[in-house]
Amino acid sequence: MSLLCCVDVGSTFTKAALVDTDGGTLVATGSHRTTVGSDVLHGLDAAVAATGHTPDGLLVCSSAGGGLRLAVIGYERLVTAQAGHRVGLSAGARVVHVAAGRLDRAGLAELRAARPDVVLLVGGTDGGDADTIGHNAARLAAARWRVPTVLAGNADCREHLAALLAAARVPVVAVGNVLPAIGVLDPGPARAAIRQMFLQHVIGGKRLSRGPRFASLVRAATPDAVLSGVELLAAHTGQDLLVVDVGGATTDVYSVLVPDAEQLAGVRDEVAGTLWAARTVEGDLGMRWSAPGVVAAALLEKLLDPDEAAALDAAAAARAEHPGFVADDGTERAVDRRLAELAVTVALRRHARGEAAVAGGPRRGGRDLRDVRTAIGSGGVLRHSPPPVAHAVLGAGLGDTAGGWPLPRETRVVVDSSYILAAAGLLAASHPAAAAALLAAELR
């Protein structure tokens, strides 16, 4: 056997999956609390040791220390800025700031206040507007901006602006336009560049570990690895696929949609383009740090009455104050289940309905999930629940008839109890056959 250990260093727990790459089989798993307070390698090595084997190699993804914080600067909020936002989410980032139009002094201050790890600078289709992205690049250069920047806008001015930023000592990489033409979204080059910036600049900058070893092991941000696993599974099944990952701080929703002939012909395309493999991040929906946000969001969505909200809010506040809280009795487990149901339901509503770029404006970026054939649940609250409970939690969102979006018509539900999606995503580039076999075996 050739054993590779795929490790996900999460914000709370570090999870290891030992895989025989010859047969694509899961040999063992292990976990340990993430040791952010000292050195994440302590928790990583402990999780690997918990598998009971010595692997031939390690592949690591990480969302520790807040993961990857991305800011997007675009030309127009409803077009290139929104396209950049979608690409950033697909790259495994948490988008903490979106700006549209020309950066002024106030806009630059807001950008700094968002504390991004990476900036995605976009604007203009190829051959289109070059003034706005040119102004914004010059503004960053003059401001002595030192945050790594991915330049993915109008091809006509890309080389000139990259040279301008580099001369001002801005770490920059220039790639193909995320929106080369209206309605055409090309996420691949920018997604790869954001991953490159994450590995080169962000991991070490978070000071999660002493020395270079941890940075040398990490291959991707965890959400980026998960989306790669989701894309691989969808490619092998040939069907629409949905994943809901309920975490302590965020609830992430991934979907891969197989386009039909009408969609490929552009009949239903948006001006900002369609991303067939997409992810949304709900930073106010989580089981611990963001538990109060679940209650607040559920109230706004009319999923809770005021009395239940008041009772649930106290429990949510306690969980946010003590993120290491463990629900060890029937009452607390029932609270966790309810919070998870609400987080899943609200996250699915937002993912499927899309978002309004301005208050009261049209929703864009929604996902048609009617043809989803497999829905996968992930996250500790689902992993540690009995299968009927985990399936019921996901079912609450999948059966949400009041959500304002068309529900999946025929869906089987699976729980990723061994965090296989992240492992498969890590293996996909170097061992695609093993990754596919692993997914087929573990996510029946």
Side-chain angles (χ1 to χ4, degrees):
M1 290 191 298
S2 177
L3 299 178
L4 282 182
C5 197
C6 301
V7 186
D8 170 15
V9 182
S11 58
T12 306
F13 281 93
T14 296
K15 291 84 63 176
L18 191 72
V19 179
D20 170 14
T21 57
D22 291 337
T25 56
L26 181 66
V27 177
T29 61
S31 67
H32 191 277
R33 185 171 289 277
T34 300
T35 48
V36 175
S38 55
D39 188 315
V40 292
L41 283 174
H42 298 158
L44 188 155
D45 290 336
V48 173
T51 66
H53 295 75
T54 300
D56 298 310
L58 295 176
L59 298 174
V60 179
C61 58
S62 174
S63 59
L68 169 59
R69 296 170 60 88
L70 182 79
V72 178
I73 304 172
Y75 163 53
E76 202 274 335
R77 188 167 294 276
L78 291 178
V79 187
T80 54
Q82 188 173 87
H85 187 187
R86 295 178 191 172
V87 170
L89 291 173
S90 77
R94 180 177 179 182
V95 179
V96 296
H97 183 71
V98 178
R102 290 173 171 247
L103 277 177
D104 54 17
R105 181 177 297 179
L108 191 61
E110 291 174 359
L111 176 63
R112 291 190 189 278
R115 297 181 295 106
D117 297 313
V118 175
V119 167
L120 177 60
L121 182 57
V122 297
T125 56
D126 288 344
D129 176 81
D131 291 339
T132 302
I133 191 172
H135 169 89
N136 291 339
R139 189 84 192 194
L140 293 179
R144 299 185 178 182
W145 188 253
R146 293 295 180 265
V147 177
T149 299
V150 173
L151 181 63
N154 189 336
D156 290 359
C157 58
R158 186 166 56 230
E159 291 185 9
H160 166 68
L161 296 181
L164 174 70
L165 290 166
R169 299 175 62 190
V170 179
V172 63
V173 59
V175 296
N177 198 343
V178 299
L179 195 74
I182 291 294
V184 179
L185 190 58
D186 183 15
R191 181 176 167 185
I194 293 169
R195 181 188 301 125
Q196 174 188 338
M197 288 296 196
F198 176 73
L199 298 178
Q200 288 183 350
H201 298 280
V202 178
I203 284 293
K206 288 187 179 292
R207 299 181 181 176
L208 299 170
S209 178
R210 302 179 187 90
R213 180 178 168 232
F214 181 64
S216 71
L217 292 174
V218 175
R219 298 291 184 269
T222 297
D224 188 15
V226 172
L227 185 57
S228 294
V230 173
E231 289 172 327
L232 183 62
L233 181 59
H236 279 267
T237 62
Q239 298 176 343
D240 288 4
L241 182 64
L242 175 70
V243 175
V244 184
D245 185 1
V246 187
T250 70
T251 296
D252 297 358
V253 181
Y254 304 78
S255 60
V256 179
L257 308 180
V258 179
D260 58 28
E262 180 182 292
Q263 290 169 317
L264 287 174
V267 175
R268 288 156 58 184
D269 277 355
E270 297 182 68
V271 291
T274 299
L275 196 60
W276 303 113
R279 163 180 167 260
T280 51
V281 179
E282 308 305 337
D284 60 335
L285 307 178
M287 296 300 297
R288 294 295 181 261
W289 290 272
S290 306
V294 175
V295 180
L299 264 174
L300 287 175
E301 293 280 351
K302 297 181 172 57
L303 291 166
L304 288 175
D305 61 53
D307 290 338
E308 184 185 4
L312 199 57
D313 199 42
R319 283 159 169 74
E321 188 175 350
H322 302 286
F325 175 85
V326 176
D328 56 3
D329 63 41
T331 300
E332 296 296 352
R333 284 194 290 270
V335 171
D336 268 5
R337 172 176 174 172
R338 184 63 173 142
L339 286 171
E341 289 174 347
L342 295 170
V344 168
T345 302
V346 175
L348 279 173
R349 285 185 177 188
R350 293 175 179 176
H351 184 84
R353 291 185 317 207
E355 72 282 351
V358 294
R363 293 183 182 273
R364 298 183 181 277
R367 309 288 286 169
D368 186 348
L369 306 179
R370 286 176 293 178
D371 291 331
V372 166
R373 292 293 176 263
T374 301
I376 300 173
S378 183
V381 66
L382 299 177
R383 182 188 186 196
H384 297 299
S385 296
V389 172
H391 284 230
V393 167
L394 291 169
L398 295 170
D400 173 33
T401 56
W405 61 282
L407 304 179
R409 292 174 286 207
E410 184 180 347
T411 306
R412 70 185 184 102
V413 174
V414 182
V415 174
D416 182 10
S417 58
S418 299
Y419 293 100
I420 291 303
L421 286 168
L426 285 169
L427 288 166
S430 57
H431 298 81
L438 180 67
L439 289 167
E442 297 297 322
L443 298 178
R444 295 186 185 91

